[in-house]
Amino acid sequence: MTQISTTANPNWWKEAIIYQVYPRSYLDTDGDGVGDLAGITDKLDYIASLGVDIVWLSPFFTSPMKDFGYDIADYCDVDPLFGTLADFDKLIAKAHGLGLKIMIDQVMSHTADTHPWFVESRQSRDNPKSDWYVWADPLPDGCPPNNWMSVFGGSAWQWDTRRKQYYMHNFLVSQPQLNFHNPDVQQAHLDAQRFWLERGVDGVRMDACVFHFHDRQLRSNPPALVRDTSTVTDVNPYGMQAHIYDKTQPENIAFLQRVRAQLDEFGAVSIGEVSSDDALAQMAEYTEGGDKLHMAYSFNLLTPEFTASHIRKQVEDFKERVKDGWASWSVGNHDAIRVVTRWGGAPGQRPGPALAKLVLAMQLSLKGTPCLYQGDELALPEADVPFELLQDPYGITFWPEFKGRDGCRTPIPWTSEAPNAGFTTGKPWLPVAEPHLAASVAQQDQDPDSMLNFQRRFIAWRKTMPQLTRGEIAFFDAPEPVLALRRWVEDGDGMDSVLAAFNLSDREVSFDWPESSAARALGTHGLPGQAAGGKVSLPPYGAWFGSIPAGAGK
């Protein structure tokens, strides 16, 4: 695989591709039904074969696992479920030997309620860590101090009988919110981050990074003018508030600058998860200036809306708001319904691999760092997990209108020839989806036309196209469902521009595109489509790429 030079190119991460691994569901090597670090290490050669550059590992730290690792009880150790620190060191060593960077999940906004910090904090109002979490007295009638809500349902406040106070939690009751207004809390996180950087970690993904600070006055949120359905479903009342006091506080900027300064010591990179009422504005604020996050992603392309106008608007709005920041575009992760189901139409009409190929090509043609999710390289559909096997507390709360996140977290199907698709010799923590067996890695590996092999080829082709990895972007007006764009390199010294058109539908589309008349077709990307006489014709889920001389088509 072609490696990105990190010494000659300090902005290498802008040209990189991130691949997210959800450790619980990747590969289990000890038969307990849960994936582990040794399993990831065993499959690093497979990951490298995809052509990706950065491997983001979802949390593997010590945890009671009520939110499956996003509730941390020790920031500086590996949960025995996943292995040991020695296992992690082996993973780092092998990854680096393959030219892969390792990015870990930093869940800073909250801890598990079993974390020693919280155990001490809740004992009294005057112990050394009494102010490490967000505590508040009740109102005179005994109610919580304000109307803040939890993303996972209900009030964001939980009564504690020891302190006779409420503590705040943005997610589960068992995930108390840390008080970032306390400088000791900030320093504790920087110390934990340094621990992993010194072990060779190349980057951090900052979970829920808009939630670090809260309004000191504990003011109630006003109603939302427009209900937010980008980060929660319409059955969740959380979307009915404008979240201007319980997150996205201005103090977060200075903390992110401290995080960035430490990362810069090690040449490490960061990506932030942004979920707010105006996520694109927050992405811009958190990435501009070169002294905060390197890049950020939102949930704006993780929604059911799959139209050219929507995708164009996200990229253009970010470009308009940002000065010199950088976006990461994600269409799938561990929190969203799998993309071929979410964007693929009604059950029984899902196009599977054809759509998956088109979506990958489109995603990798946008300006920004792509973030891919495990299993999407296999075009896996969302798994149907029955209620009695559901694990996600978020889904259990809002069932049946919202089934939670288990459907995108089921085990990777390595082979249809082994029990549990080769994921485990024991009972898997979530069932292997029957429809996934026919899409196993082993089967797709042998099929040159499979989604897996298409992804390998397209990523390799993209790496030969600096216009797509680091170029500027502009969009053309085209009829729905066509997304038409141009990529070019400002300092390209006469380098040709690239035109691209994507048919986001399952029907054939032809449209007039005068700029294409001067283009030379680029035919090695692997998707069907053609242009002639200023007209572009795209079959269902087809795409066309063309090269035009520098300066033309602007």
Side-chain angles (χ1 to χ4, degrees), residues 486 494-497 518-520 547-554:
R486 173 177 171 264
M495 185 184 298
D496 289 352
S497 295
R520 172 179 58 87
S547 174
I548 60 174
K554 288 189 177 180

Side-chain angles (χ1 to χ4, degrees), residues 136-146 155 157-159 164-166:
D137 290 327
L139 295 177
D141 63 358
C143 288
N146 58 36
S155 172
W157 297 97
Q158 178 67 22
W159 180 253
K164 297 183 179 62
Q165 286 183 304
Y166 285 98

Side-chain angles (χ1 to χ4, degrees), residues 202-511:
D202 306 290
V204 298
R205 178 260 186 184
M206 298 191 71
D207 178 75
C209 69
V210 300
F211 287 90
H212 294 151
F213 288 84
H214 66 286
D215 174 49
R216 285 181 180 270
Q217 299 179 50
L218 302 182
R219 287 171 283 189
S220 286
N221 288 324
L225 296 178
V226 178
R227 184 164 183 158
D228 176 25
T229 57
S230 64
T231 56
V232 296
T233 66
D234 60 2
V235 302
N236 190 339
Y238 184 86
M240 299 171 69
Q241 288 186 359
H243 294 275
I244 61 176
Y245 293 122
D246 53 347
K247 60 183 181 181
T248 60
Q249 298 304 292
E251 295 93 334
N252 203 20
I253 297 297
F255 175 67
L256 293 178
Q257 289 171 329
R258 296 185 67 191
V259 170
R260 175 62 177 265
Q262 186 181 74
L263 292 172
D264 285 348
E265 289 180 44
F266 294 85
V269 299
S270 57
I271 180 172
E273 177 196 40
V274 172
S275 57
S276 65
D277 298 348
D278 191 351
L280 294 176
Q282 215 68 53
M283 286 169 62
E285 182 180 16
Y286 284 6
T287 62
E288 66 184 14
D291 62 346
K292 296 174 281 294
L293 297 174
H294 291 77
M295 49 190 157
Y297 77 90
S298 70
F299 287 74
N300 291 32
L301 295 185
L302 294 167
T303 65
E305 186 171 356
F306 183 47
T307 62
S309 60
H310 175 71
I311 295 167
R312 175 180 177 175
K313 177 175 173 54
Q314 305 316 306
V315 180
E316 287 186 332
D317 281 2
F318 178 80
K319 181 181 177 181
E320 181 180 340
R321 296 174 187 220
V322 75
K323 296 183 179 70
D324 54 358
W326 195 253
S328 174
W329 300 110
S330 175
V331 301
N333 68 15
H334 65 293
D335 285 328
I337 294 172
R338 284 201 176 270
V339 65
V340 296
T341 297
R342 194 175 72 247
W343 284 353
Q349 301 176 356
R350 291 170 184 150
L355 171 63
K357 292 175 183 179
L358 181 280
V359 168
L360 177 78
M362 180 275 296
Q363 181 187 4
L364 268 59
S365 298
L366 301 178
K367 182 184 178 182
T369 300
C371 188
L372 311 178
Y373 180 51
Q374 68 176 45
D376 285 349
E377 75 271 18
L378 305 175
L380 297 182
E382 181 83 351
D384 185 14
V385 181
F387 181 79
E388 61 271 17
L389 296 179
L390 216 61
Q391 302 293 319
D392 184 11
Y394 191 10
I396 292 171
T397 298
F398 288 102
W399 180 277
E401 283 75 14
F402 174 62
K403 297 182 179 181
R405 302 163 294 178
D406 288 336
C408 67
R409 298 178 175 185
T410 55
I412 294 295
W414 295 104
T415 174
S416 59
E417 302 300 317
N420 301 312
F423 165 71
T424 181
T425 58
K427 181 181 179 182
W429 77 285
L430 280 174
V432 175
E434 185 69 27
H436 289 183
L437 296 178
S440 72
V441 172
Q443 184 162 326
Q444 293 203 34
D445 219 13
Q446 303 302 313
D447 179 3
D449 295 324
S450 68
M451 173 59 192
L452 174 59
N453 282 316
F454 171 82
Q455 178 156 320
R456 288 166 170 159
R457 289 192 300 270
F458 191 89
I459 288 177
W461 177 74
R462 179 182 184 268
K463 288 185 175 183
T464 70
M465 306 290 292
Q467 301 94 328
L468 298 183
T469 58
R470 60 185 175 90
E472 296 301 318
I473 192 170
F475 293 89
F476 293 85
D477 292 333
E480 286 286 356
V482 175
L483 182 71
L485 57 86
R486 173 177 171 264
R487 300 293 307 274
W488 74 98
V489 178
E490 291 282 12
D491 58 350
D493 294 327
M495 185 184 298
D496 289 352
S497 295
V498 170
L499 298 181
F502 305 94
N503 179 3
L504 309 187
S505 76
D506 60 357
R507 64 184 187 275
E508 185 174 350
V509 176
S510 294
F511 70 102

Side-chain angles (χ1 to χ4, degrees), residues 53-110:
D53 307 287
I54 302 172
V55 183
W56 154 26
L57 303 177
S58 288
F60 52 82
F61 314 106
T62 305
S63 168
M65 299 295 166
K66 292 183 179 179
D67 193 23
F68 304 107
Y70 284 90
D71 47 335
I72 296 175
D74 187 341
Y75 285 97
C76 296
D77 204 357
V78 175
D79 193 280
L81 194 65
F82 298 121
T84 65
L85 282 170
D87 291 325
F88 180 79
D89 293 339
K90 291 176 183 177
L91 188 157
I92 284 279
K94 183 172 181 179
H96 288 172
L98 292 169
L100 294 170
K101 306 290 187 183
I102 295 296
M103 174 180 283
I104 62 171
D105 231 319
Q106 292 287 273
V107 188
M108 295 185 175
S109 70
H110 55 268

